[in-house]
Amino acid sequence: FTTLDAGDGLGGSASIAVNAGAASSIGFGVTTVSAVGTGGGAAGDSSASGNGEGGSASVTTTGGGTTLFDAVTLDASGLGGGNTENIDTIRSGDGVGGDINLSATGGSTLAIGSSLNLIATGIAATSANIGSGTGGNVTVSASGGGTIEIADQVSVDVFGGSSGAAVVADSVGSGTGGTVAFTADGGEIRGDDYEIIASAGVVNAT
């Protein structure tokens, strides 16, 4: 028989770094920074789908100026590849979330006019044999007189594992939630509403 294993998807590094003086004001619109890694889907008997590993996504400000965003999404998720042929001997790939960093230092202000979404999930795709999922790492920090202001909801998701209420698999890997840290050390972080998910879960096995 032919075994058609799939390749891995490794996210890279994507960043916005602003270094502006105290008299400066820089504006962005609705902004998405993505470093998602997605594994390929397998298509042969007893083959393995590719793993997906998120990279790094960041927005940083320093220098004392003001940086304005309408909305911000940072995504460094890792998504394991699935079963493209519905063959019950294929194993889906592992998903490993990457790293996200949002920071304001040196007296800078990072202001977001609506929502902030930070996503570093690690998810294994549905298959008869499901891989493992591990959430990534999210860091939000304000230091040295820096300020982060979010006018609307702050949503953080570092779920790790597999999901699907109606899914029952022959074998299932593990699920591990990621880490989330908000740190204001000589700075301020202000948001209207926070939803932070660092859960883990896997589907049932027969």
Side-chain angles (χ1 to χ4, degrees):
F1 61 87
T2 301
T3 298
L4 300 176
D5 290 343
D8 299 333
L10 305 177
S13 177
S15 65
I16 295 174
V18 177
N19 187 343
S24 301
S25 179
I26 299 174
F28 293 81
V30 176
T31 301
T32 298
V33 180
S34 178
V36 174
T38 303
D45 192 31
S46 299
S47 60
S49 298
N51 301 322
E53 183 175 347
S56 63
S58 66
V59 171
T60 61
T61 63
T62 191
T66 299
T67 304
L68 307 170
F69 292 88
D70 289 343
V72 172
T73 297
L74 304 182
D75 193 347
S77 295
L79 308 175
N83 182 342
T84 63
E85 297 295 330
N86 198 28
I87 299 173
D88 61 12
T89 57
I90 290 176
R91 180 186 186 278
S92 67
D94 298 335
V96 180
D99 299 307
I100 286 176
N101 177 41
L102 183 82
S103 68
T105 62
S108 295
T109 296
L110 196 165
I112 301 171
S114 57
S115 61
L116 170 64
N117 298 288
L118 307 175
I119 309 161
T121 55
I123 298 177
T126 298
S127 179
N129 301 282
I130 299 176
S132 297
T134 303
N137 308 294
V138 171
T139 301
V140 179
S141 62
S143 61
T147 300
I148 299 175
E149 300 177 348
I150 306 102
D152 205 340
Q153 186 177 54
V154 179
S155 177
V156 184
D157 191 353
V158 292
F159 172 86
S162 54
S163 61
V167 176
V168 178
D170 293 334
S171 65
V172 182
S174 62
T176 305
T179 62
V180 178
F182 282 70
T183 304
D185 183 7
E188 294 183 67
I189 301 173
R190 296 194 294 266
D192 183 64
D193 185 26
Y194 292 82
E195 181 183 36
I196 298 174
I197 300 170
S199 305
V202 297
V203 304
N204 294 323
T206 56

